[in-house]
Amino acid sequence: MTTVETGTTTATGHSPVKGWLAVMAVTLGIFSLMTSELLPVGLLTPVGQALDVSEGTAGLMVTVPGLVAAVSAPLVTVATGHIDRRIVLVVLIGLMGAANLASAFATSFTVVLVARFLIGLSVGGFWSIAGGIALRLVPARHVARATAVIFGGVETASVLGVPSGTLIGDLSGWRTAFAAVGILGLVSLACMLFFMPRVPAGRTVTFSALPQVFRGNAGVRVGIALTFLVITGHFLAYTFVRPVLQGDGVADSSISVLLLTFGVAGICGNFIAGALVTHHLRRCVMGISVVLTTAMAILALADTGAFSAGAILVLWGLGYGAVPVTFQTWILDAAPDATEAATSLYVSAFNLSIALGALLGGFAVDGIGTTSVLWAGAALTVLALFVAGGARRTGERPVPQP
């Protein structure tokens, strides 16, 4: 279904203003979902201590939703293909809110992991559907801008949601942080119920389209490989950044401030990449690889205090903040005629890499030592430099779709 302007309304029968309000409600939803997925990064130590598990085991709070989201991204999209998209999004965001509230009151780590499973289900399905819903909400001339706003929820959560949640956790306890994200999700649910129109199911992705776009498009394959290397490397180290900083002698009271610094730098990195990515896509990817590798290596080598750790996290944040917009652009450039299928693969790869990074980092922390995650992460991100350097810029001549 294509949205067409008809005077002051769109073909869906609602005003452009209400359409933009719906876009903002979806953006709030995806921000709360992605913040929820990554929230444990800044809370591993207090959660582990409260529920009597090691920091490596606590890392499963990131691994489980990442794995589930990787599977649910295509499954939920296809399985709910005949259901009003508004209903699907509302159910998924409600499930996330309830799961976070359950985590806030959990008395065992098992309950937390069950809740994290449900969050992963919500993240994968919501992100895949929300990525293409702008076309159904706003006039055609605003679709590109609305899509950027929605994906901005992913980027902002990645670079700002975690430090904000960590700050709440440090001030009021980790249970309050989980409860706050759960309430934020329920606020998003209310906004979607109030502002979103009915969005009848249109053409959806089929299972057969996924292997077709992967096998037949070299640009998509390179983009997935880059996503795997950079996201796995980043989360292998970043999931355990709190114990890394503690090991360097940084006080607990300073860590939330440092993560907020990381987040602010990440937002700057997002804007910088947004200005460069159209004409310098491959160079942006290579720059991300260099910056992330350098930041992790310096943090592993340096005997840091709060000030020097902050400088390193600024560099790291600049690099990671550029990741979502750069890699999403790579995928869209590579498959302009199969954006839904390619984006579904990208969402799966992104979340699978989060899970794998957290899992490998947990093994490394428990088996080798905290600093090992920095070296392992740097080894993966530097490989992306060679993959991107050897790949043709996807925006120049995309490989034809099958």
Side-chain angles (χ1 to χ4, degrees):
M1 176 180 170
T2 302
T3 304
V4 180
E5 291 180 79
T6 57
T8 59
T9 63
T10 66
T12 53
H14 60 279
S15 70
V17 172
K18 188 170 183 180
W20 273 105
L21 291 173
V23 166
M24 297 309 297
V26 174
T27 303
L28 178 60
I30 205 164
F31 170 80
S32 59
L33 277 161
M34 293 306 296
T35 298
S36 174
E37 181 178 13
L38 303 178
L39 181 63
V41 167
L43 302 173
L44 286 183
T45 301
V47 173
Q49 291 174 346
L51 300 180
D52 195 26
V53 296
S54 69
E55 288 173 339
T57 300
L60 290 173
M61 290 188 293
V62 180
T63 300
V64 168
L67 286 174
V68 175
V71 176
S72 69
L75 288 182
V76 172
T77 303
V78 175
T80 63
H82 301 293
I83 303 175
D84 186 320
R85 312 323 268 163
R86 173 176 177 261
I87 294 175
V88 176
L89 293 180
V90 165
V91 169
L92 289 172
I93 197 69
L95 183 63
M96 182 279 288
N100 272 296
L101 292 175
S103 296
F105 292 99
T107 56
S108 72
F109 191 64
T110 301
V111 173
V112 172
L113 286 186
V114 172
R116 302 300 294 171
F117 178 94
L118 296 177
I119 288 168
L121 182 66
S122 301
V123 168
F126 194 102
W127 186 353
S128 291
I129 294 171
I133 205 166
L135 182 66
R136 316 289 297 278
L137 298 176
V138 298
R141 62 190 175 90
H142 293 158
V143 166
R145 187 182 306 169
T147 301
V149 169
I150 289 173
F151 275 108
V154 178
E155 297 160 4
T156 306
S158 299
V159 300
L160 195 56
V162 171
S164 298
T166 303
L167 181 60
I168 293 173
D170 287 345
L171 293 175
S172 304
W174 65 269
R175 295 182 186 277
T176 303
F178 278 104
V181 177
I183 292 171
L184 183 64
L186 297 180
V187 170
S188 173
L189 182 154
C191 290
M192 283 190 285
L193 284 175
F194 189 76
F195 293 120
M196 279 191 72
R198 292 183 64 254
V199 186
R203 192 180 73 174
T204 58
V205 177
T206 61
F207 285 118
S208 61
L210 302 178
Q212 285 176 358
V213 74
F214 185 79
R215 289 196 306 264
N217 192 309
V220 170
R221 293 197 298 272
V222 171
I224 296 300
L226 290 169
T227 300
F228 170 79
L229 290 171
V230 171
I231 302 303
T232 302
H234 168 76
F235 279 98
L236 199 155
Y238 186 65
T239 301
F240 301 94
V241 69
R242 184 174 187 126
V244 166
L245 293 174
Q246 288 174 325
D248 283 342
V250 178
D252 284 349
S253 58
S254 300
I255 290 177
S256 60
V257 176
L258 291 176
L259 291 180
L260 280 172
T261 301
F262 173 92
V264 172
I267 292 175
C268 295
N270 174 55
F271 282 112
I272 293 170
L276 297 175
V277 73
T278 300
H279 301 293
H280 305 284
L281 180 56
R282 184 171 62 169
R283 290 179 182 177
C284 283
V285 174
M286 296 172 73
I288 287 169
S289 173
V290 170
V291 170
L292 293 180
T293 302
T294 301
M296 291 183 224
I298 293 175
L299 190 58
L301 289 170
D303 185 13
T304 59
F307 181 79
S308 55
I312 296 169
L313 287 176
V314 166
L315 182 65
W316 194 344
L318 284 170
Y320 182 70
V323 166
V325 65
T326 301
F327 285 23
Q328 181 67 55
T329 300
W330 184 292
I331 293 295
L332 295 178
D333 276 4
D337 298 322
T339 56
E340 290 186 357
T343 297
S344 181
L345 290 173
Y346 169 67
V347 172
S348 291
F350 197 105
N351 284 282
L352 181 61
S353 299
I354 291 174
L356 184 61
L359 181 63
L360 294 177
F363 288 141
V365 165
D366 287 347
I368 303 174
T370 306
T371 307
S372 65
V373 298
L374 296 170
W375 290 116
L380 288 176
T381 55
V382 77
L383 288 177
L385 177 65
F386 299 101
V387 173
R392 181 172 54 193
R393 186 188 187 280
T394 59
E396 293 173 353
R397 279 192 180 91
V399 176
Q401 293 296 304

